[in-house]
Structure formats: structure tokens, C-alpha cells
Amino acid sequence: EAARDFAAGLNSNIALESVNLAWNGFGDPAPCDLLAKALYSGGLVTLDVSYNRIKVNGSFLMAGNLEKSGGRMRSLVMDGNPITQAGARALFKAAKE
């Protein structure tokens, strides 16, 4: 629940540009969805969500919102998450566009 509340707060963020959320359990669907939305709705430029148990569906959410960020997001670190090859491909494609 705390992860969901924190992720929701990031959506209204206008000051933070870089956030390290590694090892914080954001892999559940609700916080992961909110984190994904923060990629384009807030002022984030760098987001580290390493080792949060984000699965392939979460990586698809991240990829879709990464595309919407209009190139503002410079670094999305997802080390140690079981996103599979399909999730990695979606993120790579989103980063290229």
C-alpha cells in the first residue's frame, strides 16, 4: 500500500528529476501502473526501479508511457526485474522513438 501511495505522489511531481526506487517492491500491478504513468506525467528524467519484481506486463506499461514522455526520460534502470525478452524489446523500442 505504501508503494502505491508513493507512486501516486510521483504523478503530481514537478520538482524531482531523479528518483532511485531500487529494492522497494513496486512490482505489484497497482504501484507499477502508477510508476509507469509517472514517466510522462511528472518531471522525472531518471528513474531507477531495479530489483522491484516488475514483470513483463509492468515493462509493457513502462514502455507505453515511456513513448508518451516525448523523450524527456533520459534513464530508466530496470536491472534485476523478470521482464523477459518481450518486455526488454518493448522498452528498447519505446526508448528509440
Side-chain angles (χ1 to χ4, degrees):
E1 188 169 311
R4 185 183 65 233
D5 293 342
F6 184 83
L10 278 179
N11 286 311
S12 60
N13 162 56
I14 57 171
L16 291 175
E17 292 184 356
S18 181
V19 177
N20 183 339
L21 298 173
W23 298 93
N24 279 296
F26 283 96
D28 295 330
C32 191
D33 182 42
L34 291 167
L35 274 178
K37 289 177 182 167
L39 292 179
Y40 74 91
S41 64
L44 289 179
V45 177
T46 303
L47 178 61
D48 184 343
V49 288
S50 300
Y51 302 96
N52 274 287
R53 299 183 312 272
I54 295 171
K55 296 178 180 72
V56 67
N57 289 341
S59 64
F60 291 152
L61 288 169
M62 296 281 188
N65 288 299
L66 186 58
E67 287 182 55
K68 294 178 188 176
S69 76
R72 184 179 65 241
M73 179 62 65
R74 300 231 191 261
S75 177
L76 174 61
V77 183
M78 295 188 65
D79 293 342
N81 289 297
I83 62 172
T84 74
Q85 188 175 17
R89 200 171 324 150
L91 287 164
F92 181 73
K93 182 180 174 191
K96 281 180 61 176
E97 296 181 12

